[in-house]
Amino acid sequence: MRASMCLSAMALMASVCSSALAGGATYSFAEPSIDRWMNPFNPTRGYRSTASTFGSIGVNIPGFNFDDRYSQLLVGFDLLTQAPAGLGVCRYKVTAARVTLTVSEDLAFKYDPTFDILSTYTTADDGDGRPMELFGVGYRNGWTSCRIDPSNAALSAFPCFYEGNAANPGPAFSATGQPNEDLRNVFASDNAGGVLRDVSNFVRDGLRVTPFAIGRIQGLASGALVPVDTDVTFDLDVENPDVQMYLKRAADTGLLRLMVASMHPASSQGGSGSGAFATFYCKEIGIPGLAARLTITIDILPVGDANGDGSVTFGDITTVLANFGTSGEGIPGDADCNGTVAFADVTAVLANFGN
Ligand SMILES: [Ca+2]
Ligand SMILES: [Ca+2]
Ligand SMILES: [Ca+2]
Ligand SMILES: [Ca+2]
């Protein structure tokens, strides 16, 4: 509709249309809509003031068999409270996204700013600690993301994975409440090939996993113990197509959900300070600036922009032809956003040429 209006009045309206349709904006969220400690033995569901992340390699409790990424932290931001949602996945391009968390325990774990490859987990710690990692999120048992609104009962019940409180403690860890592996209702995923696979048991399954981001600490040396109240920044790898697709979907739904995880050993296995693992503030700490925050830059692409460079030019015809006959969500060449690349996409480029 908007595109045809632009076309019919192109001579007069070209500059107005392009400014209305194209261009990006940066949005900042001072705290998450939801933050929840995804540990099977979390009795307080969504309303703990801190949440820790650690692995279960080497943990052996008779009768239990935990996920490798045993303790995860779910953080979510309702982008739709600030950014336009629902334009179609292919209309969005996220050019930057940064999540910042703050450490709530003093000198509990070593700072490892680099990715640890799979083989370092199958033998022993590689000696320089474990990185803090950020992932996308997948669901089991019919749960899904909804806008967080505690005043709306329908949004604080199945299938919405909501933020619990003392009166309504939030969804259980798994369908049965069981803590064992492959059961968690919400799990970390790397969206490999566009598929939201559960990477919680990547060591057991031998998965080569690519996190969306590694946590970085400004001014702290690799291997140093991390002081309390240290900020950890996660710059999402928007150039990774799996990450970009996840973010495009999030921009379209208006709901971004992410999982913080690390393979730090649990405290029972030793380590300096109060525990060998990372612990972060949640918004229930009640102090502004300590819970997870997000800065995200979202470009809205013009209709007809088949190659996602922000304008509709001859290069988009080339991209349509180069991808002719392919199909999938948000793929290059899909100028009319219908999920396939066909002749109609050439028409869509020509109809919006110059936008
Ligand atoms: Ca919370
Ligand atoms: Ca390491
Ligand atoms: Ca283009
Ligand atoms: Ca198409």
Side-chain angles (χ1 to χ4, degrees):
M1 184 64 182
R2 209 191 257 175
S4 61
M5 284 168 58
C6 288
L7 183 64
S8 61
M10 188 175 278
L12 291 171
M13 296 284 290
S15 62
V16 177
C17 286
S18 61
S19 63
L21 289 170
T26 298
Y27 306 94
S28 292
F29 295 80
E31 68 171 29
S33 323
I34 181 171
D35 51 3
R36 180 179 154 157
W37 191 40
M38 300 308 300
N39 178 300
F41 297 110
N42 174 14
T44 56
R45 309 285 169 85
Y47 53 95
R48 263 179 79 99
S49 58
T50 63
S52 52
T53 61
F54 50 84
S56 75
I57 303 292
V59 174
N60 217 330
I61 302 176
F64 292 110
N65 202 1
F66 303 116
D67 289 334
D68 300 338
R69 296 187 202 280
Y70 170 97
S71 192
Q72 308 177 12
L73 167 59
L74 174 69
V75 295
F77 299 89
D78 289 6
L79 305 178
L80 48 67
T81 60
Q82 295 188 39
L87 300 177
V89 170
C90 69
R91 296 289 307 283
Y92 296 96
K93 183 177 182 180
V94 174
T95 56
R98 168 178 283 189
V99 172
T100 304
L101 292 162
T102 302
V103 173
S104 66
E105 302 278 336
D106 197 29
L107 306 176
F109 67 102
K110 281 191 287 188
Y111 173 44
D112 181 355
T114 55
F115 179 70
D116 280 358
I117 61 171
L118 180 60
S119 62
T120 67
Y121 295 98
T122 54
T123 51
D125 189 314
D126 60 357
D128 63 359
R130 293 302 188 189
M132 295 165 277
E133 298 177 312
L134 190 70
F135 292 95
V137 161
Y139 292 93
R140 267 193 192 85
N141 304 320
W143 291 97
T144 189
S145 300
C146 298
R147 183 173 183 173
I148 301 297
D149 180 0
S151 68
N152 184 337
L155 298 179
S156 298
F158 182 84
C160 298
F161 203 87
Y162 57 96
E163 171 92 344
N165 54 47
N168 181 11
F173 174 80
S174 65
T176 60
Q178 282 286 314
N180 287 339
E181 60 193 355
D182 305 314
L183 295 176
R184 56 181 69 221
N185 284 323
V186 190
F187 51 80
S189 177
D190 62 355
N191 196 37
V195 177
L196 288 169
R197 63 175 182 174
D198 186 350
V199 298
S200 298
N201 290 292
F202 72 113
V203 180
R204 180 199 69 187
D205 297 340
L207 300 179
R208 295 185 189 282
V209 171
T210 306
F212 286 12
I214 299 279
R216 299 267 153 71
I217 299 170
Q218 205 167 16
L220 190 69
S222 174
L225 289 169
V226 179
V228 67
D229 294 344
T230 295
D231 285 348
V232 181
T233 56
F234 297 81
D235 287 318
L236 281 72
D237 182 8
V238 296
E239 302 300 325
N240 175 338
D242 297 334
V243 178
Q244 181 62 227
M245 181 53 68
Y246 188 87
L247 294 173
K248 285 161 81 86
R249 286 184 190 138
D252 186 44
T253 61
L255 302 168
L256 175 61
R257 303 291 182 255
L258 298 164
M259 196 74 83
V260 185
S262 69
M263 289 298 291
H264 296 125
S267 59
S268 58
Q269 295 171 269
S272 304
S274 56
F277 49 82
T279 307
F280 305 97
Y281 292 110
C282 296
K283 62 183 160 62
E284 288 74 14
I285 194 72
I287 303 171
L290 290 183
R293 9 334 157 195
L294 169 74
T295 304
I296 187 167
T297 303
I298 303 173
D299 284 2
I300 309 293
L301 303 176
V303 174
D305 185 10
N307 62 4
D309 68 353
S311 59
V312 184
T313 64
F314 192 76
D316 295 299
I317 300 281
T318 309
T319 300
V320 173
L321 297 179
N323 294 280
F324 212 83
T326 58
S327 60
E329 191 180 45
I331 49 172
D334 187 12
D336 62 3
C337 297
N338 74 344
T340 61
V341 182
F343 192 75
D345 295 302
V346 176
T347 311
V349 173
L350 295 176
N352 295 281
F353 214 82
N355 274 357

